[in-house]
Amino acid sequence: MAHIITGSCCSDARCVAACPLDCIHPRPDEPGFATAEMLHIDPATCIDCGACADACPVDAIVPLSKLPLAEQHYATINSDHFAGRPAAVQSIAPIRAIPVLPGRGRLRVAVVGSGPAGMYAAEELLRHRRAEVDVYERLLTPWGLIRSGVAPDHPETKAVAATFESLAREDNLRLRLGVDIGRDLTIEEMREHYHAVIVATGAADGRKLAIPGTDLAGSVSAADLARWYNGHPDNAGRVADLSGGNAVVIGNGNVALDVARLLVTAPERLNRTDIADHALEALTRNRFHDVLILGRRSPRFAAFTEPELATMARTLDIEVDSLAVGDLEWTEFDPPHVRRKLALLRRSRETGTVSGERIRFGFHTSVVAILGDERVRAVDIAVRTDNGTERRTLAADLVVHAIGHDSRALPGVPFDPNTGRTPHLSGRILQYSGGPAIPGLYTVGWHKRGASGVIGTNRFCSQETVAALLDDFAAGVLAPPNGTVDALLAERGVRALDRRDWHRLDREERRRGRAADRPRIKIIDPVEQAAIARR
């Protein structure tokens, strides 16, 4: 009886290394891994040993016999991946051998950012016993988008934080929360006091279409809205106006589906999540019953993944614009995952009422302008039909731009405003695009490659960067540290929180959550956070 990988797969591929028979694909060294929606287990090869399930950080792997009825389709998804290309049965070695640090003493590295990219980089460094890693975070809470970006109703995705919690207990790693790099310490000061600095600050700024009306009240980026309902301190004070019942989401990637689903989810379901209290109150007062997700291309090119669509289809009504109904038929040229997405859209459209809460998909559609006086009232759209382009006006009370993210410039780190990224080569930060590398300065995650991939993608992104750093250390390129930054922080009155401080805050959030039958109730005010953490 085979094991099955389900939709909560994070693709960090620990399961691949754990499998004794090489039956989990695509492997990180195979073409297509970077763009894969999830990993798959070959049912013809799996011996049901359970090693992969033990290694999975998000509990996405289960025996077929224990697969819930609502997730039975994942058995087909796993087997379909191997149709015509069965995996070879063979014993495999670890994905990467552990290199040995050269005899240059201890390696001291600072990581700026405690999200998945930063923590995966720290994990890779700590495979070497002589490495010491300090992870800096501007906020008083760690784990980046795991806490402030992942949708509250996706607890299985948030489960990867347990991996980072375990890593933070390592003797050679220090969490330094509440230190703002660029304000409390400069990049130049950090480079002086560490062999190397890895920038893992992500891509915090959500993009918005450059169209008329984009700055009206009620026109927001998906990134800002996600931080608001997740209780990010930078966005908690911004009152989202959710009055009215119609929302338009521009873009159809996973973030767009997350936002749309949260807007129409019944309050009694949200009340079982860790959504921020202010967002729960606002969404309880003003529920959206109709959300339209717009994409420029046909359904077969939709950016959302199959697991994300399947999650939505289980709990909500899904409708597809009549102009795109003909596009839901797959052809022999469509890959299996596209065929399944089209079939799921078609089946969901035909099934009928699930909950009374409706998500509509519009394809072949561009938003030309956002209309209103001081706030959003409607959108002007252009729909491509068989007879040309047709202009329409749709009522809208909220417009969410889910079209990507950009990094923010960090003082002391080169930044290209045209691409929203830092120029780099294999993770080594360059003085300018195509220019020489800056010794001891590296990048990883969305700050390195842009907002792409899933959480597990950051693990392999970090391996490339850390490999470059270790090569430079072995070659003697990295200057030795000149003392530590502790005296500078003390002199400037900056008291960083450490792992124990964070655990006091974490325990209090969980305690409050238990009293309300919720996973946790997030404490958002930085003053209250600090007071609890420093008790």
Side-chain angles (χ1 to χ4, degrees):
M1 184 70 69
H3 274 61
I4 304 296
I5 298 180
T6 63
S8 56
C9 173
C10 69
S11 295
D12 86 347
R14 294 171 197 273
C15 56
V16 175
C19 177
L21 295 178
D22 192 23
C23 63
I24 303 178
H25 292 256
R27 288 167 54 102
D29 56 358
E30 289 178 336
F33 174 81
T35 56
E37 294 186 352
M38 57 184 287
L39 305 183
H40 311 83
I41 295 175
D42 181 8
T45 306
C46 176
I47 60 172
D48 204 28
C49 68
C52 56
D54 292 339
C56 179
V58 294
D59 295 329
I61 305 177
V62 297
L64 179 58
S65 61
K66 296 182 179 179
L67 195 64
L69 183 62
E71 297 187 343
Q72 288 290 320
H73 61 286
Y74 285 115
T76 303
I77 291 172
N78 278 250
S79 60
D80 280 357
H81 179 78
F82 297 95
R85 48 170 180 171
V89 179
Q90 58 180 348
S91 180
I92 61 171
I95 297 172
R96 296 181 68 246
I98 300 178
V100 178
L101 287 179
R104 297 182 179 276
R106 304 193 73 80
L107 170 64
R108 294 182 50 217
V109 180
V111 177
V112 184
S114 68
M119 294 308 294
Y120 280 131
E123 179 184 46
E124 186 70 11
L125 286 163
L126 291 180
R127 296 167 73 207
H128 312 280
R129 293 183 179 178
R130 296 205 306 274
E132 297 176 350
V133 182
D134 288 349
V135 178
Y136 289 84
E137 170 61 56
R138 177 176 65 89
L139 303 180
L140 298 178
T141 56
W143 319 144
L145 64 81
I146 299 297
R147 180 179 172 97
S148 62
V150 174
D153 61 347
H154 276 355
E156 69 283 354
T157 304
K158 293 174 181 282
V160 74
T163 299
F164 305 148
E165 289 283 2
S166 177
L167 184 65
R169 291 182 171 87
E170 293 286 337
D171 291 339
N172 288 357
L173 184 142
R174 290 195 301 174
L175 277 181
R176 314 205 78 180
L177 308 175
V179 181
D180 190 344
I181 303 305
R183 184 193 67 187
D184 299 328
L185 290 171
T186 67
I187 287 292
E188 290 76 12
E189 289 169 336
M190 297 188 75
R191 290 177 59 201
E192 181 183 350
H193 293 86
Y194 291 91
H195 284 99
V197 177
I198 300 177
V199 180
T201 50
D205 292 336
R207 295 176 189 159
K208 294 173 67 175
L209 286 180
I211 57 176
T214 197
D215 294 324
L216 288 172
S219 169
V220 300
S221 75
D224 282 343
L225 191 61
R227 286 196 293 267
W228 173 76
Y229 60 61
N230 275 307
H232 192 292
D234 291 352
N235 295 77
R238 302 180 186 179
V239 180
D241 186 352
L242 302 181
S243 57
N246 298 316
V248 171
V249 180
I250 305 172
N252 57 21
N254 282 353
V255 173
L257 268 62
D258 278 345
V259 168
R261 189 182 64 254
L262 262 292
L263 288 175
V264 301
T265 295
E268 55 267 25
R269 291 210 300 270
L270 290 178
N271 198 36
R272 298 195 293 266
T273 74
D274 67 353
I275 189 171
D277 279 351
H278 60 257
L280 178 60
E281 292 169 6
L283 289 168
T284 299
R285 288 194 309 269
N286 301 295
R287 282 184 61 194
F288 286 81
H289 295 279
D290 186 20
V291 177
L292 174 62
I293 300 174
L294 296 178
R296 293 179 299 172
R297 304 175 73 186
S298 77
R300 58 181 24 87
F301 297 109
F304 55 75
T305 62
E306 180 183 357
E308 194 71 29
L309 180 63
T311 297
M312 175 180 282
R314 284 200 298 270
T315 56
L316 302 171
D317 287 343
I318 292 178
E319 295 185 7
V320 178
D321 187 282
S322 58
L323 289 173
V325 170
D327 291 332
L328 300 183
E329 299 296 332
W330 56 265
T331 71
E332 60 182 309
F333 302 106
D334 291 318
H337 74 279
V338 171
R339 298 183 190 186
R340 290 192 298 266
K341 285 200 290 188
L342 294 176
L344 187 55
L345 281 172
R346 186 174 62 251
R347 187 164 59 249
S348 299
R349 180 178 179 272
E350 295 168 352
T351 299
T353 298
V354 173
S355 64
E357 298 150 346
R358 184 173 65 163
I359 301 286
R360 292 186 293 142
F361 283 89
F363 298 96
H364 305 291
T365 302
S366 298
V367 178
V368 179
I370 301 171
L371 310 177
D373 35 34
E374 294 183 353
R375 63 161 295 108
V376 171
R377 298 299 178 194
V379 291
D380 181 11
I381 63 173
V383 183
R384 292 186 299 281
T385 71
D386 292 339
N387 299 319
T389 300
E390 177 183 317
R391 295 290 285 270
R392 301 178 186 173
T393 299
L394 303 177
D397 305 293
L398 176 70
V399 175
V400 182
H401 304 249
I403 57 172
H405 302 69
D406 287 321
S407 297
R408 293 176 182 172
L410 183 64
V413 178
F415 183 77
D416 184 347
N418 295 318
T419 63
R421 301 183 197 173
T422 286
H424 74 92
L425 180 63
S426 299
R428 296 179 177 92
I429 292 180
L430 308 178
Q431 293 182 17
Y432 49 86
S433 183
I438 301 174
L441 197 54
Y442 303 85
T443 180
V444 73
W446 281 7
H447 185 268
K448 170 184 174 182
R449 67 182 191 276
S452 63
V454 294
I455 289 171
T457 309
N458 293 294
R459 187 170 179 231
F460 303 96
C461 175
S462 72
Q463 287 179 349
E464 178 189 53
T465 294
V466 171
L469 187 158
L470 295 177
D471 286 345
D472 291 346
F473 184 60
V477 173
L478 306 181
N482 181 17
T484 72
V485 298
D486 294 357
L488 286 176
L489 290 174
E491 177 184 315
R492 294 165 187 175
V494 179
R495 181 188 168 189
L497 299 187
D498 60 19
R499 171 175 57 86
R500 292 179 179 82
D501 297 326
W502 154 242
H503 284 168
R504 279 190 285 271
L505 179 57
D506 180 50
R507 285 194 298 269
E508 177 61 17
E509 289 189 338
R510 292 178 185 275
R511 185 194 67 78
R512 296 183 186 186
R514 283 193 300 272
D517 197 25
R518 297 174 60 189
R520 70 170 70 234
I521 292 180
K522 290 179 178 175
I523 298 166
I524 296 167
D525 177 24
V527 175
E528 185 181 4
Q529 288 177 341
I532 293 170
R534 290 171 176 151
R535 282 175 182 169

